[in-house]
Amino acid sequence: MKKIYLDHVATNPLHPEVLDAMLPYFKEHYGNPLSIYEPGMKAREAIENARESAAALINAKPKEIIFTASGAESNNFALKGIAYAGQGKGKHIIVSRIEHHSILNTARFLEKAGFAVTYLPVDKNGAVNPVDVDKAITKETILISIIHASPEIGTIEPVAEIGQIARENGIIFHTDAVSSVGNIPVDVQSLNADLLSFAAHQFYGPKGAAALYVKEGIRIVPLIYGGIQEGGRRAGTENVPAIVGMGKAAELAKRDMQKRIDHISPLRDKLIGNALKTDKVLLTGHPEKRLPNHASFVVEYIEGEAMLLLLAAKGIYSASGSACSSKALKASPVLISIGVPAHLAQGSVVFTLGEETTEDDINYFNETFPQIISRLREISPYAKGWEGMEGSACTAQK
Amino acid sequence: MKKIYLDHVATNPLHPEVLDAMLPYFKEHYGNPLSIYEPGMKAREAIENARESAAALINAKPKEIIFTASGAESNNFALKGIAYAGQGKGKHIIVSRIEHHSILNTARFLEKAGFAVTYLPVDKNGAVNPVDVDKAITKETILISIIHASPEIGTIEPVAEIGQIARENGIIFHTDAVSSVGNIPVDVQSLNADLLSFAAHQFYGPKGAAALYVKEGIRIVPLIYGGIQEGGRRAGTENVPAIVGMGKAAELAKRDMQKRIDHISPLRDKLIGNALKTDKVLLTGHPEKRLPNHASFVVEYIEGEAMLLLLAAKGIYSASGSACSSKALKASPVLISIGVPAHLAQGSVVFTLGEETTEDDINYFNETFPQIISRLREISPYAKGWEGMEGSACTAQK
Amino acid sequence: MYSAKVMDHFTNPRNVGEMPDADGIGTEGNPVCGDVMKIYIKVNDDKITDAKFQTFGCGAAIAVSSMVTEMAKGMTLDEALKITKASLAEALDGLPPQKMHCSNLGADALHKAIEDYRNKQK
Amino acid sequence: MYSAKVMDHFTNPRNVGEMPDADGIGTEGNPVCGDVMKIYIKVNDDKITDAKFQTFGCGAAIAVSSMVTEMAKGMTLDEALKITKASLAEALDGLPPQKMHCSNLGADALHKAIEDYRNKQK
Ligand SMILES: Cc1ncc(COP(=O)(O)O)c(C=O)c1O
Ligand SMILES: Cc1ncc(COP(=O)(O)O)c(C=O)c1O
């Protein structure tokens, strides 16, 4: 059976060249990068080369890159590290309501530790209004953190404007760019970012390698204390092969970025155009300002996980923000924040394309998706509308 | 030239079977383990299998294993996670003076956050006295963390007794077993450990995979917030291949443990016996209660980094706790804590053997090491004794 | 994640559809929670002669609906009232823990349909 | 880590050893810090005709000692006083930053030896 991977926002397959670049660091160059003999020094050099490639991808300096093990770690590090470093100045932080869990849950932790957090609303397309950021700033504000692009609805946020506002107010600005870096051009200078999180597995690199950009001169308290790795800012024996893989993946992403976008974006448009022909299928997120590989919908009257499973049975791999498909068993906060009612949010489904996606894949998808929708609607008690649906909130079962 | 790797305490070469086990998770099974389609579910299964193997290695239950990315992360997680979870009960923590930096520096961070920390002394062999632990306990004590075995001097601490004392006093006990797990039998039950850190790269597994054992029923605050990975206790897309590698390495370590010890330990004894024949070479750490692969010395009148470099030029890779070889440029706190004077600590050198070490390797080493010592002593102004050495502390240059 | 049996009942659900001449109808769940089951029964001589369902929900919910209608057919009403979450999960070779409570509404919906039928008889 | 030149001077140090009939001796550093250099010079007609060293220290320290004695030989005392940390590091094709201050004591030790010589002349 055909296998069509349309869940690139969850993780990417490893690029074969990336694996090739990594392999010597499992085998010959196994040394600890702190060691002063050959297998260690080779590892050290490889890390520094990877740092250059990672920096180049976002137009930063190599020494501004701190390697971590995941996007989530980068986000935790950014929020806690700047909060602890800046708490003498003030204890107020601004984030949006559509941040990734690794930002939202860290913000909640900081609230318990005595920080005040403002959670900014978004409009129906999922965009933060820079005016709201400006209004939320107080004398106590030390950090603004806004996601660059939502993995769930694809919307690209006006991060440059928000960064500009932060800069004018002397406030540190972090952006979670895990779902954007490698997929669209990201430049920390033009985004006015002081900190930026990104992860290799989002651009054909390995899992286990990610980074936090920290602008030169900004003080950050470590999340992981220990030895002198990463300039004393992130301890732990370096995951050399994964870091090497991140470097290679960054190099490829920089080289192939436009080619990838030119290939993926028309296929994505074709997918969206076809999906919207089916009745009661709605695009979520911004119609234009969205990740070029990203198509996200709510399909009325049916539930997301059921769609995923039937699609998977046809070899199509995708994701959903439905409560059923997330083990958290709560309707996606992102969909709720853009005003999707909870019963509609259950019908969420997200397709994210990659460089290996072909026109044939999309044709096959375009045939299959409407069939699956109608099959599930045949089973649904709501197939003709939401009448009879009780409006009560979902509490009893949770 | 012969290459003899005698720095297994820094990191281990990857076992070829481990790499073979990992490769499919870079290639076919690249999915996100949270996904509900095939490439994701295969990854999920593999992680759960690895969890079983990791748990079996230390006689824990699979659900008591939380995967992390490094020994340092496990240690940070343990200390901060238990401190934050228990701060309502008390704010006192006990550690020893010979903990790894990832414990010591985290303890210092917690001091800044309002916790009191007692740093217990050790005897001349580097052993903590359980009586000292008992005496240090106050009503406020919520956590005791003692290293299982020192990577620098090899001493194995009386962790079971200390764990017993902790248990009798209703205090949570953590042990940093990064340098012991996989090298000697470690059983969380007989050690009375509530938490235990270990890392795959210390037993022929990959860098980037480590774990924290947390006894069932013990509440820990996450270090990395985000999604629901690792039962919500450690977020971030899982480094599937590395975790798989850790599982495989744990399996091999369990299977081959005694065989490895039986092979390595006599070679290590031969190395020590020969080294001590040279004048003014002193063994550091406990003469018997030490890691079976561990030989550590101070060599008088010469400096450690110079030894390492000359050894490396002969193909022998080793480590030192000398200030020169550590980028921290401070004499090893561990050596100072066992009463080695700072000028002697400069002559520190550590050899740690592995399963691939051969009798031939040790013979070659035993020939080479005395030559290098005498060569450097020929250059040294102290070759005939420390006379003329000023006793002043080292401050001006640092 | 799901047993082969769940996947079978999910991908080839039995007894799907409305039953315009049903003797009893029971609905359980709420679309806000992600799962709603509507069970229709035909009753003759205290026996369930036919059962159908309509379900909005995840794979588990659809499989449970299919299974509960299969099991109910041919049972007396009192027998059908003994169907439980646990017996349904067992019949499906198990359900993932997080689905046990949210998506396993088949027994409740069936019991409501029986209640509905009995109320109509009064 | 180290340049080829450093490694060469470290593994094959020039001018090693004591000089019992030295005209000037200079010692710099402290074993507690990890590096001590002792420089011996022979002086004739205001020129350094020979130089030797003994060093306790790391690779950089030994290479610096070797290099400073090589450079000094044949220089006048005033020329030798112009040797600096920077010129030594340059002659060695650079030193790692963390070694620049700790292990680069050659110029200071040499200058002390010259001072020692001059003091003895008074
Ligand atoms: C005892 C001990 N604890 C912690 C660590 C840190 O582990 P990692 O380097 O994997 O972060 C080490 C490293 O070797 C160690 O020996
Ligand atoms: C926007 C965003 N932030 C953070 C993360 C977390 O990254 P990771 O899964 O590498 O920890 C993700 C994951 O996909 C993401 O999309």
Coordinates of all heavy atoms in Angstrom, one line a residue, chain B residues 328-382:
Chain B
A328 N 37.7 24.8 33.3 CA 37.3 25.6 34.5 C 38.6 26.2 35.1 O 38.5 27.1 35.9 CB 36.6 24.7 35.5
L329 N 39.8 25.6 34.8 CA 41.0 26.2 35.3 C 41.1 26.2 36.9 O 41.7 27.1 37.4 CB 41.3 27.6 34.8 CG 41.5 27.6 33.2 CD1 41.6 29.0 32.8 CD2 42.8 26.8 32.9
K330 N 40.4 25.3 37.5 CA 40.5 25.2 38.9 C 40.9 23.8 39.3 O 40.4 22.8 38.6 CB 39.1 25.5 39.6 CG 38.9 26.9 39.9 CD 37.7 27.1 40.7 CE 36.8 28.2 40.2 NZ 35.4 28.0 40.2
A331 N 41.7 23.6 40.3 CA 42.1 22.2 40.7 C 40.8 21.5 41.1 O 39.9 22.1 41.6 CB 43.1 22.3 41.8
S332 N 40.8 20.2 40.8 CA 39.6 19.4 41.0 C 39.1 19.5 42.4 O 39.9 19.1 43.4 CB 40.0 18.0 40.7 OG 39.2 17.1 41.5
P333 N 37.9 19.9 42.7 CA 37.3 20.0 44.0 C 37.3 18.6 44.7 O 37.4 18.5 45.9 CB 35.9 20.5 43.8 CG 35.8 20.9 42.4 CD 36.9 20.3 41.6
V334 N 37.2 17.5 43.9 CA 37.1 16.2 44.4 C 38.5 15.8 45.1 O 38.5 15.4 46.2 CB 36.8 15.1 43.4 CG1 36.9 13.7 43.9 CG2 35.4 15.4 42.9
L335 N 39.6 16.1 44.4 CA 40.9 15.8 44.9 C 41.1 16.7 46.2 O 41.7 16.2 47.2 CB 42.0 16.0 43.9 CG 41.9 15.1 42.7 CD1 42.9 15.4 41.6 CD2 42.1 13.6 43.1
I336 N 40.7 17.9 46.1 CA 40.9 18.8 47.3 C 40.1 18.2 48.4 O 40.6 18.2 49.6 CB 40.5 20.2 46.9 CG1 41.2 20.8 45.7 CG2 40.5 21.2 48.2 CD1 42.7 20.9 45.9
S337 N 38.9 17.7 48.2 CA 38.1 17.2 49.3 C 38.6 16.0 49.9 O 38.3 15.7 51.1 CB 36.7 17.0 48.8 OG 36.6 15.8 48.0
I338 N 39.5 15.2 49.2 CA 40.1 14.0 49.9 C 41.5 14.4 50.4 O 42.3 13.5 50.8 CB 40.2 12.8 48.9 CG1 41.1 13.1 47.7 CG2 38.8 12.3 48.5 CD1 41.4 11.8 46.9
G339 N 41.8 15.7 50.4 CA 43.0 16.1 51.1 C 44.2 16.2 50.3 O 45.3 16.3 50.8
V340 N 44.1 16.1 48.9 CA 45.3 16.2 48.1 C 45.6 17.7 48.0 O 44.7 18.5 47.6 CB 45.0 15.6 46.7 CG1 46.1 15.9 45.7 CG2 44.7 14.1 46.8
P341 N 46.8 18.1 48.3 CA 47.2 19.5 48.2 C 47.1 20.0 46.7 O 47.3 19.1 45.8 CB 48.6 19.6 48.6 CG 49.0 18.2 49.2 CD 48.0 17.3 48.7
A342 N 46.8 21.2 46.5 CA 46.5 21.7 45.2 C 47.6 21.5 44.2 O 47.4 21.1 43.0 CB 46.2 23.2 45.2
H343 N 48.9 21.6 44.6 CA 50.0 21.4 43.7 C 50.1 19.9 43.3 O 50.5 19.6 42.1 CB 51.3 21.9 44.2 CG 51.8 21.2 45.5 ND1 51.2 21.5 46.7 CD2 52.8 20.3 45.7 CE1 51.8 20.7 47.6 NE2 52.8 20.0 47.0
L344 N 49.7 19.0 44.2 CA 49.7 17.6 43.8 C 48.5 17.3 42.9 O 48.6 16.4 42.0 CB 49.6 16.7 45.0 CG 50.9 16.4 45.8 CD1 50.6 15.3 46.8 CD2 52.0 16.0 44.8
A345 N 47.4 18.0 43.1 CA 46.2 17.7 42.3 C 46.4 18.0 40.9 O 45.8 17.5 40.0 CB 45.0 18.6 42.8
Q346 N 47.4 18.9 40.6 CA 47.7 19.2 39.2 C 48.3 18.0 38.5 O 48.2 17.9 37.2 CB 48.8 20.3 39.1 CG 48.4 21.6 39.7 CD 47.2 22.2 38.9 OE1 46.8 21.8 37.8 NE2 46.6 23.2 39.5
G347 N 48.8 17.0 39.2 CA 49.3 15.8 38.6 C 48.4 14.7 38.5 O 48.8 13.5 38.4
S348 N 47.1 15.0 38.5 CA 46.1 14.0 38.4 C 46.0 13.3 37.1 O 46.1 14.0 36.0 CB 44.7 14.6 38.8 OG 43.7 14.2 38.0
V349 N 45.7 12.0 37.1 CA 45.5 11.3 35.8 C 44.6 10.1 36.1 O 44.7 9.5 37.1 CB 46.9 11.0 35.1 CG1 47.7 10.0 36.0 CG2 46.7 10.5 33.8
V350 N 43.7 9.9 35.2 CA 42.6 8.9 35.4 C 42.6 7.9 34.2 O 42.5 8.4 33.0 CB 41.2 9.5 35.6 CG1 40.2 8.5 35.9 CG2 41.3 10.6 36.7
F351 N 42.6 6.6 34.5 CA 42.5 5.6 33.4 C 41.3 4.7 33.7 O 41.2 4.2 34.8 CB 43.8 4.8 33.4 CG 45.0 5.6 33.2 CD1 45.9 5.8 34.3 CD2 45.3 6.2 32.0 CE1 47.0 6.6 34.2 CE2 46.5 7.0 31.9 CZ 47.3 7.2 33.0
T352 N 40.4 4.6 32.7 CA 39.3 3.8 32.9 C 39.1 2.8 31.7 O 39.1 3.3 30.6 CB 38.0 4.7 33.1 OG1 38.0 5.8 32.2 CG2 37.9 5.2 34.5
L353 N 39.1 1.6 32.1 CA 39.2 0.5 31.0 C 37.8 0.2 30.5 O 36.8 0.5 31.2 CB 39.8 -0.7 31.6 CG 41.3 -0.7 31.9 CD1 41.7 0.3 33.0 CD2 41.9 -2.1 32.3
G354 N 37.7 -0.6 29.5 CA 36.4 -1.0 28.9 C 36.5 -2.5 28.5 O 37.6 -3.1 28.5
E355 N 35.4 -3.0 28.0 CA 35.3 -4.4 27.6 C 36.3 -4.7 26.4 O 36.7 -5.8 26.2 CB 33.9 -4.9 27.4 CG 33.2 -4.3 26.2 CD 31.9 -5.0 25.9 OE1 31.6 -6.1 26.4 OE2 31.1 -4.4 25.0
E356 N 36.6 -3.6 25.6 CA 37.4 -3.9 24.5 C 38.9 -3.8 24.8 O 39.8 -4.0 24.0 CB 37.0 -3.0 23.3 CG 37.5 -1.5 23.4 CD 36.7 -0.7 24.4 OE1 35.8 -1.2 25.2 OE2 37.0 0.5 24.6
T357 N 39.2 -3.4 26.1 CA 40.6 -3.3 26.5 C 41.2 -4.7 26.5 O 40.6 -5.6 27.1 CB 40.7 -2.7 27.9 OG1 39.9 -1.5 27.9 CG2 42.2 -2.3 28.2
T358 N 42.5 -4.8 26.0 CA 43.1 -6.1 26.0 C 44.3 -6.2 26.9 O 44.9 -5.1 27.3 CB 43.6 -6.5 24.6 OG1 44.6 -5.6 24.2 CG2 42.5 -6.4 23.6
E359 N 44.8 -7.3 27.2 CA 46.0 -7.5 27.9 C 47.2 -6.8 27.2 O 48.0 -6.2 27.9 CB 46.3 -9.1 28.0 CG 47.6 -9.5 28.7 CD 47.3 -10.0 30.1 OE1 46.2 -10.7 30.3 OE2 48.1 -9.8 31.0
D360 N 47.2 -7.0 25.9 CA 48.3 -6.3 25.1 C 48.2 -4.7 25.4 O 49.3 -4.1 25.5 CB 48.0 -6.5 23.6 CG 48.8 -7.7 23.1 OD1 49.4 -8.4 23.9 OD2 48.7 -7.9 21.9
D361 N 47.0 -4.2 25.4 CA 46.9 -2.8 25.6 C 47.5 -2.4 26.9 O 48.2 -1.4 27.0 CB 45.4 -2.4 25.7 CG 44.7 -2.5 24.4 OD1 45.3 -2.7 23.3 OD2 43.4 -2.5 24.4
I362 N 47.3 -3.2 27.9 CA 47.8 -2.9 29.3 C 49.3 -3.0 29.3 O 50.0 -2.2 29.9 CB 47.0 -3.7 30.3 CG1 45.5 -3.3 30.3 CG2 47.6 -3.5 31.7 CD1 45.2 -1.9 30.5
N363 N 49.8 -4.0 28.6 CA 51.2 -4.2 28.6 C 51.9 -3.0 27.9 O 52.9 -2.4 28.4 CB 51.6 -5.5 27.8 CG 51.2 -6.7 28.6 OD1 51.1 -6.7 29.8 ND2 51.1 -7.8 27.9
Y364 N 51.3 -2.6 26.8 CA 51.8 -1.4 26.1 C 51.7 -0.2 27.0 O 52.7 0.6 27.2 CB 51.0 -1.2 24.9 CG 51.4 0.1 24.1 CD1 52.6 0.2 23.4 CD2 50.5 1.2 24.0 CE1 52.9 1.3 22.6 CE2 50.8 2.3 23.3 CZ 52.0 2.4 22.6 OH 52.3 3.5 21.9
F365 N 50.6 0.0 27.7 CA 50.4 1.1 28.6 C 51.5 1.1 29.7 O 52.1 2.1 30.1 CB 49.0 1.1 29.3 CG 48.9 2.1 30.3 CD1 48.5 3.4 30.0 CD2 49.2 1.8 31.7 CE1 48.4 4.4 31.0 CE2 49.1 2.8 32.6 CZ 48.7 4.1 32.3
N366 N 51.7 -0.1 30.3 CA 52.6 -0.2 31.4 C 54.0 0.1 31.0 O 54.8 0.6 31.8 CB 52.5 -1.6 32.0 CG 51.2 -1.8 32.9 OD1 50.6 -0.8 33.2 ND2 50.9 -3.0 33.3
E367 N 54.4 -0.2 29.8 CA 55.7 0.3 29.3 C 55.8 1.8 29.1 O 56.8 2.4 29.4 CB 55.9 -0.3 27.8 CG 56.8 -1.5 27.7 CD 56.6 -2.0 26.3 OE1 56.8 -1.3 25.3 OE2 56.1 -3.2 26.2
T368 N 54.7 2.3 28.6 CA 54.7 3.7 28.1 C 54.6 4.7 29.3 O 55.3 5.7 29.3 CB 53.5 3.9 27.1 OG1 53.6 2.9 26.1 CG2 53.6 5.3 26.5
F369 N 53.7 4.4 30.2 CA 53.4 5.4 31.2 C 54.7 5.8 32.0 O 54.9 7.0 32.2 CB 52.3 4.8 32.2 CG 51.8 5.8 33.2 CD1 51.5 7.1 32.8 CD2 51.5 5.4 34.5 CE1 51.0 8.0 33.8 CE2 51.0 6.2 35.4 CZ 50.7 7.6 35.1
P370 N 55.5 4.9 32.5 CA 56.7 5.3 33.3 C 57.6 6.2 32.4 O 58.3 7.1 32.9 CB 57.4 4.0 33.7 CG 56.3 3.0 33.6 CD 55.4 3.4 32.5
Q371 N 57.7 5.8 31.1 CA 58.6 6.6 30.2 C 58.1 8.1 30.2 O 58.9 9.0 30.2 CB 58.6 6.1 28.8 CG 59.2 4.7 28.7 CD 58.9 4.1 27.3 OE1 58.3 4.7 26.4 NE2 59.3 2.8 27.1
I372 N 56.8 8.2 30.1 CA 56.3 9.6 30.0 C 56.5 10.3 31.3 O 56.8 11.5 31.3 CB 54.8 9.5 29.5 CG1 54.8 9.2 28.0 CG2 54.0 10.8 29.9 CD1 53.5 8.9 27.5
I373 N 56.3 9.7 32.4 CA 56.5 10.3 33.7 C 58.0 10.8 33.8 O 58.2 11.9 34.1 CB 56.2 9.3 34.8 CG1 54.7 9.0 34.9 CG2 56.7 9.9 36.2 CD1 54.3 8.0 35.9
S374 N 58.9 9.9 33.4 CA 60.3 10.3 33.6 C 60.6 11.4 32.6 O 61.4 12.4 32.9 CB 61.3 9.2 33.5 OG 61.1 8.5 32.3
R375 N 60.1 11.4 31.4 CA 60.3 12.4 30.4 C 59.9 13.8 31.0 O 60.6 14.8 30.9 CB 59.6 12.1 29.1 CG 60.1 12.9 28.0 CD 59.7 12.3 26.7 NE 59.5 13.4 25.8 CZ 58.8 13.3 24.7 NH1 58.3 12.1 24.4 NH2 58.7 14.3 23.9
L376 N 58.7 13.8 31.5 CA 58.2 15.1 32.0 C 58.9 15.5 33.3 O 59.1 16.7 33.5 CB 56.7 15.0 32.3 CG 55.8 15.0 31.0 CD1 54.4 14.7 31.3 CD2 55.9 16.4 30.3
R377 N 59.3 14.6 34.1 CA 60.1 14.9 35.3 C 61.5 15.5 34.9 O 62.0 16.4 35.6 CB 60.3 13.7 36.2 CG 59.0 13.4 36.9 CD 59.1 12.3 38.0 NE 57.9 12.2 38.7 CZ 57.6 11.1 39.5 NH1 58.5 10.1 39.6 NH2 56.4 11.1 40.1
E378 N 62.0 15.0 33.7 CA 63.3 15.6 33.3 C 63.1 17.1 33.0 O 64.0 17.9 33.2 CB 63.7 14.9 32.0 CG 64.5 13.7 32.3 CD 64.6 12.8 31.1 OE1 64.5 13.3 29.9 OE2 64.7 11.5 31.3
I379 N 61.9 17.5 32.6 CA 61.7 18.9 32.2 C 61.3 19.7 33.5 O 61.5 20.9 33.5 CB 60.5 19.0 31.2 CG1 60.8 18.1 30.0 CG2 60.3 20.4 30.8 CD1 59.7 18.2 28.9
S380 N 60.8 19.0 34.5 CA 60.3 19.7 35.7 C 61.3 20.3 36.6 O 62.4 19.7 36.9 CB 59.4 18.8 36.5 OG 59.0 19.4 37.7
P381 N 61.1 21.5 37.1 CA 62.0 22.1 38.1 C 61.9 21.4 39.4 O 62.8 21.6 40.3 CB 61.6 23.5 38.2 CG 60.2 23.5 37.8 CD 60.0 22.4 36.8
Y382 N 60.9 20.6 39.6 CA 60.7 19.9 41.0 C 61.2 18.5 41.0 O 60.9 17.8 42.0 CB 59.2 20.0 41.4 CG 58.7 21.4 41.4 CD1 57.8 21.9 40.5 CD2 59.2 22.3 42.4 CE1 57.4 23.2 40.6 CE2 58.8 23.6 42.5 CZ 57.8 24.0 41.6 OH 57.4 25.3 41.6

